[in-house]
Amino acid sequence: MRQHDGYEGSVTGTKLIATDLACVRGGRTVFEGVSFTLGAGGAVQVEGPNGTGKSSLLRILAGLLDPAGGTLANDFGTAWLGADATLKPGTRLRGELLHWARLDGRPAAAVDAALAAFDLTPLAELPVDVLSSGQRRRAALARVHASGAALWLLDEPGVGLDTASLGLLAAAIAVHRAGGGAVVVATHGDIGVDAPDRLTL
């Protein structure tokens, strides 16, 4: 996960503007001409078959990959969730999330709220090694939640989640947007994001 400036809940007028973005990997043009604008409270759902560049687009938006063409302006503080839910072996769940929250300048209360949002409070003192794949995915989402970033970039966040956990994810995204946050989600199917703008690659 990558975060820029912290989210203080006041992002009026803040925007992400992508203009004619292009991606080239291994000498092959993956996509080109991708343009959209995202404001506070907004959501973009990126869809398309495997290999069309959904993950690469999110990495470009996060500043982790340079575009082959086009321009990107992002005023949001940003948190990125990739495909791997990486947790440090040998740590306890709450302690692991506290570590990252401190790096983001966030209080312990933000971690406790994130644990609650993803129904992880009963697991807070368990070693991360014993968590199931779905629990680890929820933990990674809780890390994004606790970061305080206004823009969430979520790459296939529903992978490994059961129906109840998908409901928690949808609820967390709804609350985030209601508070002025924004989200870009790459997904193969509907995960319950309310009325997103759809971008097909």
Side-chain angles (χ1 to χ4, degrees):
M1 186 189 71
R2 174 191 176 101
Q3 183 193 345
H4 300 291
D5 298 328
Y7 172 41
E8 300 299 335
S10 178
V11 291
T12 302
T14 303
K15 288 185 177 181
L16 181 152
I17 302 172
T19 306
D20 291 329
L21 292 179
C23 176
V24 175
R25 305 300 296 270
R28 180 179 70 92
T29 298
V30 181
F31 61 77
E32 58 187 349
V34 171
S35 299
F36 66 91
T37 298
L38 177 65
V44 173
Q45 188 160 304
V46 184
E47 303 170 345
N50 289 335
T52 54
K54 298 185 300 297
S55 296
S56 294
L57 175 59
L58 262 66
R59 291 178 67 86
I60 288 171
L61 299 180
L64 300 172
L65 180 67
D66 291 329
T71 61
L72 176 66
N74 182 9
D75 297 328
F76 288 109
T78 302
W80 174 76
L81 174 70
D84 296 326
T86 303
L87 299 170
K88 185 178 179 181
T91 62
R92 297 186 184 274
L93 175 56
R94 187 172 184 273
E96 173 73 352
L97 296 183
L98 279 171
H99 167 75
W100 291 106
R102 291 189 184 107
L103 292 179
D104 292 332
R106 300 287 290 164
V111 170
D112 293 332
L115 288 167
F118 289 97
D119 195 23
L120 290 168
T121 303
L123 310 179
E125 297 306 321
L126 287 181
V128 298
D129 311 68
V130 306
L131 299 180
S132 70
S133 59
Q135 290 166 344
R136 292 172 71 87
R137 194 62 172 167
R138 281 189 282 144
L141 288 162
R143 180 178 162 190
V144 170
H145 187 293
S147 73
L151 174 61
W152 294 356
L153 302 174
L154 307 178
D155 190 1
E156 296 290 353
V159 171
L161 298 185
D162 58 19
T163 300
S165 297
L166 285 172
L168 294 174
L169 172 59
I173 289 174
V175 170
H176 180 63
R177 293 173 65 190
V183 62
V184 180
V185 180
T187 178
H188 283 290
D190 185 17
I191 59 168
V193 179
D194 184 40
D197 293 331
R198 296 181 185 271
L199 174 63
T200 301
L201 297 181

